[in-house]
Amino acid sequence: QKEVEQNSGPLSVPEGAIASLNCTYSDRGSQSFFWYRQYSGKSPELIMFIYSNGDKEDGRFTAQLNKASQYVSLLIRDSQPSDSATYLCAVNSGGFKTIFGAGTRLFVKA
Amino acid sequence: GAVVSQHPSWVICKSGTSVKIECRSLDFQATTMFWYRQFPKQSLMLMATSNEGSKATYEQGVEKDKFLINHASLTLSTLTVTSAHPEDSSFYICSATGTSGRAFSYEQYFGPGTRLTVT
């Protein structure tokens, strides 16, 4: 069973702090990694994807991938209350089927 | 780019009736579309995967005769909930993935979802 694990949270951080969201996966053959943000009552929105080991930065978001340790993380710098949402980690091992984690709820306190 | 629409955004129907939900990729060709269901405060649950022109692949435990999926073109997939019951009330979300000229193009783009309430 291919799995994607996330801490359900809630992760609570003060406004302006760095939020760190982590995800581990079981399939060593995984090739593509995604982070989605889902606001309550809305559908997921793709915010980052990463394919290679290392860091990938996009604005306030940085995705980090370590294939040897089988984890991928998302850092959100200068967290804002509007970042409060559930963040879904997703992993693809080739083909079109992507496995989603259950999500981590992030709460940014003003 | 990569916009996916769903219609309707919400629907209320009576128990025993059928409801059709449409999912369209507006600015790309969706070779594969996915249908998810999400209950309040729970995670996404994949129901089925559909490829254009072929039969959908259903996840274990999902009744294919109850949830009919048609992916007739590269931009349209439909989910029909037949003989709906109150326990089918949920948030149904489609997503699509397709070719974009990249080496790896597996990111899924989600529609806004359809909230179904069966009374």
Side-chain angles (χ1 to χ4, degrees):
Chain A
Q1 176 76 13
K2 299 175 183 177
E3 293 184 347
V4 177
E5 301 284 344
Q6 294 182 257
N7 188 318
S8 63
L11 172 65
S12 183
V13 301
E15 184 175 359
I18 296 175
S20 178
L21 304 161
N22 300 310
C23 170
T24 59
Y25 58 94
S26 62
D27 185 0
R28 282 197 171 274
S30 299
Q31 301 172 6
S32 312
F33 307 86
F34 309 92
W35 283 101
Y36 289 83
R37 176 177 61 199
Q38 186 176 22
Y39 292 113
S40 180
K42 303 294 185 182
S43 65
E45 172 192 11
L46 179 66
I47 55 173
M48 289 283 291
F49 56 85
I50 186 167
Y51 302 134
S52 304
N53 273 328
D55 294 0
K56 179 181 178 182
E57 188 174 316
D58 184 1
R60 295 187 296 112
F61 299 97
T62 299
Q64 299 176 317
L65 174 60
N66 184 323
K67 290 186 178 181
S69 300
Q70 295 176 237
Y71 86 81
V72 57
S73 63
L74 179 70
L75 301 178
I76 306 175
R77 289 181 300 281
D78 188 24
S79 296
Q80 301 296 309
S82 59
D83 295 326
S84 299
T86 296
Y87 289 80
L88 306 174
C89 172
V91 176
N92 183 285
S93 302
F96 288 104
K97 186 162 182 178
T98 296
I99 307 297
F100 284 81
T104 298
R105 285 184 294 137
L106 172 66
F107 179 60
V108 181
K109 298 176 291 185
Chain B
V3 180
V4 176
S5 70
Q6 262 183 263
H7 178 81
S9 56
W10 61 270
V11 58
I12 301 173
C13 71
K14 292 190 174 182
S15 187
T17 62
S18 296
V19 174
K20 179 185 283 189
I21 302 170
E22 290 187 349
C23 177
R24 293 181 186 272
S25 58
L26 299 185
D27 54 1
F28 67 104
Q29 293 187 325
T31 49
T32 304
M33 286 185 166
F34 305 86
W35 286 96
Y36 294 86
R37 181 166 53 181
Q38 188 174 38
F39 293 105
K41 299 192 185 302
Q42 294 190 21
S43 57
L44 288 174
M45 187 186 81
L46 178 65
M47 299 175 68
T49 301
S50 75
N51 294 295
E52 183 264 338
S54 61
K55 289 184 179 180
T57 302
Y58 290 81
E59 295 299 301
Q60 194 172 11
V62 178
E63 300 173 61
K64 59 182 179 182
D65 293 332
K66 180 172 180 62
F67 298 99
L68 303 178
I69 292 172
N70 186 301
H71 192 164
S73 76
L74 283 172
T75 60
L76 173 65
S77 176
T78 60
L79 167 68
T80 302
V81 182
T82 63
S83 186
H85 290 286
E87 56 264 32
D88 297 324
S89 299
S90 188
F91 191 42
Y92 291 86
I93 313 172
C94 73
S95 72
T97 190
T99 57
S100 67
R102 300 160 54 88
F104 300 102
S105 304
Y106 300 132
E107 53 266 33
Q108 291 183 30
Y109 295 93
F110 285 84
T114 297
R115 195 161 301 281
L116 170 64
T117 301
V118 184
T119 61

